[in-house]
Amino acid sequence: MLRQSRQRDATGRAIPLHGPEGFAGMRAAGRIAAATLDHIEPFVQAGVSTAALDRECEAFMRAAGTVPGTIGYKGYRHASCISVNHVVTHGIPSDDKILAAGDILNIDVTPLLDGWYGDASRMYVVGSASVRARKLVGTTYAALMAAIAAVRPGARLGDVGHAIEAIARRERFAVVRDFCGHGVGQVFHDAPQVLHYGVPETGIVLEPGMIFTIEPMLNAGKADVKVLGDGWTAVTRDRSLSAQFEHSVGVTDDGVEIFTLSPAGRHVPAGLP
């Protein structure tokens, strides 16, 4: 049974509160999102195009009985977003974009299963990346998990954003402020907005039944980004490296459930600090 919180996010939208059916739906869709990201890992190799990776993601999601929720969304035509090196988010797969040794990339997938969107992304390293790149990827993952650890009833979204910002600042990385996490469920992008920075004990109070993504983007240089002429691809203005991880989570009666954990336990590339 779907209820509504009395709270509204910054856009004025009421925040859905999901019951057991919603958690079950997100659990099933999230498993396939995570399995897709597990499946694609061995295909991430030097000499492979991002379009080839996208086609492999699409084939896996369809074989699993889902459809890619991104295809047709606001005119988008691909089953994934693949963002390489200085691309912050929403990188468009292309046959012309060929991976090279040392690249880092984010793959973001959203399989749609029985009306539920399982939204997740993960970083991958092609071969052996630089120490700075590996530190950026590892720090971004640590920031995501610290944010998730802050999710519980009675906590606030400011606590979640602050957890990310504190880790990023400690390692001298910048948090991208132009994009945020979002409510998810039977609507791809719903309330609440989940900022990846914030002040503790401020913002929306978390309630059992809230379901949303947390998807911090950290830059090795400055936080500034720009969107290219295709209307999708966001890049760092200073062309510094960027990294992102994303999980879909739900607020439970006593904590948090992560819907998009890797079935094989592969949440972060091996060999990172």
Side-chain angles (χ1 to χ4, degrees), residues 60-224:
F60 183 87
M61 285 187 274
R62 292 191 184 279
T66 68
V67 296
T70 53
I71 294 179
Y73 179 75
K74 295 186 176 181
Y76 195 75
R77 297 183 296 170
H78 302 276
S80 64
C81 293
I82 303 181
S83 304
V84 183
N85 292 334
H86 71 288
V87 178
V88 177
T89 190
H90 301 157
I92 300 175
S94 169
D95 285 310
D96 296 327
K97 180 59 183 176
I98 307 298
L99 298 181
D103 284 345
I104 63 172
L105 62 149
N106 177 273
I107 301 179
D108 190 340
V109 297
T110 310
L112 177 60
L113 177 66
D114 298 330
W116 296 92
Y117 291 89
D119 197 1
S121 80
R122 196 180 302 170
M123 293 298 295
Y124 301 84
V125 177
V126 182
S128 179
S130 69
V131 172
R132 180 70 168 167
R134 289 186 288 114
K135 183 177 181 181
L136 174 65
V137 173
T139 300
T140 306
Y141 178 74
L144 168 64
M145 299 312 291
I148 292 173
V151 175
R152 61 185 179 277
R156 292 176 176 263
L157 281 179
D159 302 325
V160 174
H162 177 73
I164 294 166
E165 198 170 22
I167 287 179
R169 284 182 173 176
R170 184 186 71 199
E171 302 299 335
R172 299 184 178 181
F173 294 125
V175 178
V176 173
R177 295 187 171 218
D178 297 64
F179 301 96
C180 62
H182 53 87
V184 68
Q186 291 184 298
V187 176
F188 193 174
H189 292 90
D190 207 346
Q193 289 185 323
V194 181
L195 302 181
H196 301 127
Y197 57 92
V199 177
E201 300 182 8
T202 65
I204 288 168
V205 178
L206 300 181
E207 303 174 53
M210 289 182 177
I211 293 177
F212 48 83
T213 70
I214 305 175
E215 46 186 295
M217 302 159 218
L218 271 56
N219 294 348
K222 295 182 179 179
D224 305 295

